Amino acid sequence: DAKTTQPNSMESNEEEPVHLPCNHSTISGTDYIHWYRQLPSQGPEYVIHGLTSNVNNRMASLAIAEDRKSSTLILHRATLRDAAVYYCILRDVNNTDKLIFGTGTRLQVFP
Amino acid sequence: EAQVTQNPRYLITVTGKKLTVTCSQNMNHEYMSWYRQDPGLGLRQIYYSMNVEVTDKGDVPEGYKVSRKEKRNFPLILESPSPNQTSLYFCASSLGTSGYEQFFGPGTRLTVL
């Protein structure tokens, strides 16, 4: 099974960029990399996803290493509302359509 | 409004009393799944369904059942709940898996005494 590894926690100040890393050394060639976040007392919400190329949307950017063994979620200007647990997830390599959540990174944002 | 709904949102029950947590989505999604979330363990998938009448086990299926008789509904059934099933449960749906966004419900907090 493809697994992901993330730091348990990170801190940032408001208005500063945040780079959240994820390692996925056993990723298969057709696995997509998804990022979700979970705000306190809410269900997870989609942030961004990608396959090989870097991706941008209104919430964040996703930088994917050339060998695809790691990726980084970039929040360009952190706000207090970005304080959440961020999950990096992959589709199961055995193509059984299971999605495996990583351990998640708890992001704290300070004023 | 596109959404995933779960009911009930909170439930306290006793060991052995059968219960069902409902999940419904209004986006015509083919893929639906159930997760449980426990402190320190993150989200773990219980069951998933690729389409009507197609279900399969996730990582922690023991003690749970599901059914997918209609595309929009995917109930989670606990035939004989036990205290170790006390958890926060999330239902999710998407068009597919690999490249598709998953939409999560608001969660159901279950306590089994």
Side-chain angles (χ1 to χ4, degrees):
Chain A
D1 291 353
K3 300 286 187 191
T4 62
T5 304
Q6 301 175 253
N8 287 332
S9 63
M10 292 186 66
E11 297 178 353
S12 175
N13 293 318
E14 214 175 359
E15 303 293 316
E16 291 185 353
V18 181
H19 291 231
L20 298 166
C22 180
N23 289 317
H24 29 77
S25 58
T26 59
I27 190 171
S28 74
T30 54
D31 280 346
Y32 279 81
I33 302 159
H34 294 246
W35 283 82
Y36 285 74
R37 72 180 186 181
Q38 187 173 19
L39 280 64
S41 302
Q42 295 187 27
E45 64 174 350
Y46 169 83
V47 178
I48 200 167
H49 76 274
L51 183 62
T52 57
S53 303
N54 294 343
V55 184
N56 300 295
N57 66 20
R58 63 175 179 81
M59 289 181 68
S61 296
L62 176 60
I64 301 173
E66 196 168 335
D67 64 5
R68 301 208 328 125
K69 294 183 184 299
S70 65
S71 60
T72 302
L73 179 70
I74 302 167
L75 307 179
H76 295 285
R77 293 179 65 187
T79 70
L80 296 178
R81 291 190 301 273
D82 291 323
V85 178
Y86 287 79
Y87 292 97
C88 170
I89 68 174
L90 303 177
R91 178 185 177 185
D92 186 85
V93 292
N94 293 320
N95 294 320
T96 60
D97 296 306
K98 288 198 299 183
L99 292 173
I100 302 171
F101 274 74
T103 55
T105 297
R106 182 174 298 278
L107 175 65
Q108 289 183 283
V109 181
F110 298 105
Chain B
E1 178 190 355
Q3 60 182 352
V4 177
T5 57
Q6 296 179 227
N7 282 294
R9 294 289 312 281
Y10 302 90
L11 179 61
I12 300 175
T13 189
V14 296
T15 298
K17 186 176 181 181
K18 181 180 178 180
L19 66 91
T20 299
V21 183
T22 64
C23 172
S24 183
Q25 50 91 6
N26 61 0
M27 296 167 280
N28 201 36
H29 284 169
E30 292 191 346
Y31 182 91
M32 298 185 73
S33 63
W34 276 102
Y35 296 86
R36 63 177 288 174
Q37 185 172 34
D38 303 289
L41 296 176
L43 281 91
R44 296 179 292 168
Q45 193 177 51
I46 302 170
Y47 268 95
Y48 64 94
S49 169
M50 287 302 296
N51 212 326
V52 175
E53 302 293 359
V54 180
T55 64
D56 207 347
K57 297 177 181 179
D59 291 320
V60 288
E62 293 77 21
Y64 304 95
K65 287 175 56 177
V66 293
S67 69
R68 189 88 181 273
K69 296 177 181 174
E70 305 168 280
K71 200 170 188 178
R72 64 183 293 126
N73 296 323
F74 190 47
L76 180 69
I77 303 157
L78 285 72
E79 294 272 4
S80 182
S82 62
N84 64 11
Q85 293 178 298
T86 293
S87 188
L88 180 58
Y89 292 86
F90 290 102
C91 180
S93 75
S94 66
L95 283 171
T97 53
S98 268
Y100 296 103
E101 173 184 356
Q102 283 209 1
F103 292 82
F104 283 80
T108 295
R109 186 166 293 281
L110 172 66
T111 301
V112 183
L113 303 174

